[in-house]
Every structure is written in structure tokens, then in C-alpha cells.
Amino acid sequence: MDDISDLLELDAAGEPLSGRIVQIFQVACRLFAQRGFDGVSMRDIALECGISKATLYHYFPDKDSILRPLAIGTTKSLCLHVSRHDRPDAPPLERLRSFLTETANFFEKFRWAWIAASTVFWSDPKTRARKERIEWRDRYEQLLRDILQAGMDAGELRPMDVKLAGHFVLGSINWMPRWYRPEGALSAAGIADRFCDMIIEGIRAEPPASTPPRRR
């Protein structure tokens, strides 16, 4: 299991999170993903962690205080991960493939966090936290739109509504948590790579028609 602390901020003192806090996040994340947020109680989390409810409440006052940092951290980390692997000087179609496969790599590494975080994207009652998460989501989606626009400018992709095309591309990845199984024949990145082939065939620009030779 991957260290979920990679998705989280440092504690209030700027120090790495303690092992107990990381364990609570790890367990809660898996339970939220498997049962849904409403299907998990603080008692469930405490039992899975092998600690008392009193100990759990010492660290977190409620379930929201566990899920909120996970939700923000997952969205922010996804954006930063994909951006780090993007090469603006590369051909647009190569950048598009990287965007999809690196998104899939991130999903596969942090599958439980991705699923848990996706359940509360619009329902967080904390306006500031929701706004921060939306800002990171928008940066991630804007990168995709920039790649698609670069493809159109280079003549590699046909003219289209960039925002709508971005939704189309993201739709192929965003449903992966519902049906992807780690024990399947293909990795998440392998599936994303095949998706990319299908997507490119749908939005690739038609080659210019060849001019017939002039008769003499």
C-alpha cells in the first residue's frame, strides 16, 4: 500500500505527519472508498486502526476533518504530478498521451484516495476548502485544454470546442474507478494508453487532400 502521506500537507508545526495520523488517514480512506462516506462511522475507523474512539477523537473531531485534507491533497497532488511529467516542447499528441497515462498512473497508485475524494468534490461545506480544491482541479483541466489547443494550432487535431473536447477526454479516465480492477490484464496506464489511441483517432485532423496532377 502506498504511503498516503504523499498526498497530505505537513502538520500545523510544519513537521511530517506522525505514524498514527498516517494510519488513520490510510484506513479511513480505504473505508470511505469501499463503503461510502455515510457508510463509515468514527467507530469503524477506530476498530480498523486498532485504537479506541477516544484516541481517534484526540486526533480528529469528526469524519469531515479526515476526508477534507485527503480530498484537497489528492486533487492538488494529481495536478502537480501530471504537470511535472508534461513537456511543453514535445509534440502535442505526445503530451496528450503523457497527460492520460500519468493520470492513470496516479490513479493506480492512490486508488482509494481518488475514489474517496471524488465522493465529496461538491459537497464540502467548508467554502474555502472547496474553493481551493476547485482551483487545483481547474489548473489540471486547463493543462489538458492547453495541450488540445496546441494540437489544433499545430494542425495535428481538427478544430473543435476545446472545453468540450477536454470533458470528452477526461470522461474516459474519470469513470475508471468504477470498473478498473488491479488484478486485470492491463495496468491503469496501459488502459489509458489504449484510450488515447481511440481518442486521437476521433479528434485527429484529416490529412490535407492531395492535389491531382495537372493535365497537359
Side-chain angles (χ1 to χ4, degrees):
M1 187 178 292
D2 292 290
D3 189 354
I4 205 168
S5 62
D6 291 344
L7 303 179
L8 303 169
E9 301 290 343
L10 301 176
D11 67 14
E15 298 294 329
L17 299 175
S18 71
R20 176 64 74 192
I21 292 179
V22 171
Q23 180 202 22
I24 293 170
F25 274 122
Q26 196 94 49
V27 168
C29 179
R30 175 175 53 80
L31 292 179
F32 291 149
Q34 292 175 331
R35 304 181 192 176
F37 183 74
D38 293 333
V40 178
S41 67
M42 291 290 276
R43 180 176 180 274
D44 294 330
I45 297 171
L47 284 174
E48 286 285 325
C49 289
I51 60 178
S52 67
K53 284 179 64 178
T55 300
L56 178 59
Y57 280 113
H58 170 73
Y59 293 107
F60 298 99
D62 51 35
K63 294 188 298 180
D64 285 325
S65 62
I66 302 175
L67 185 55
R68 187 172 299 115
L70 282 170
I72 295 176
T74 301
T75 306
K76 177 180 178 180
S77 297
L78 170 63
C79 178
L80 294 176
H81 173 82
V82 174
S83 297
R84 280 195 297 268
H85 287 83
D86 180 52
R87 292 174 44 236
D89 59 333
L93 293 184
E94 183 179 316
R95 294 176 66 195
L96 177 60
R97 191 175 299 276
S98 172
F99 181 95
L100 287 170
T101 56
E102 289 304 330
T103 294
N105 281 330
F106 182 91
F107 158 71
E108 192 164 39
K109 183 176 182 181
F110 299 108
R111 179 166 165 250
W112 293 134
W114 178 303
I115 296 172
S118 67
T119 65
V120 293
F121 193 91
W122 298 108
S123 59
D124 193 331
K126 297 290 187 180
T127 303
R128 181 177 178 180
R130 186 170 65 248
K131 180 180 178 182
E132 180 183 356
R133 189 173 179 203
I134 290 173
E135 286 173 352
W136 282 107
R137 188 281 314 271
D138 288 348
R139 287 178 60 176
Y140 168 75
E141 292 188 359
Q142 187 59 52
L143 174 59
L144 173 59
R145 292 172 191 165
D146 290 344
I147 292 171
L148 294 173
Q149 185 63 57
M152 287 187 282
D153 293 343
E156 295 182 6
L157 301 178
R158 59 183 173 83
M160 55 190 167
D161 182 314
V162 174
K163 185 175 182 179
L164 192 61
H167 291 324
F168 165 67
V169 172
L170 288 176
S172 66
I173 291 292
N174 288 341
W175 279 97
M176 191 177 289
R178 299 292 297 272
W179 52 261
Y180 171 76
R181 294 294 178 269
E183 65 274 12
L186 291 173
S187 66
I191 294 171
D193 191 61
R194 295 193 180 189
F195 280 172
C196 190
D197 289 337
M198 300 175 194
I199 290 168
I200 289 173
E201 285 307 309
I203 62 178
R204 188 195 298 271
E206 293 291 335
S210 58
T211 304
R214 182 178 299 178
R215 291 184 178 179
R216 295 184 178 178

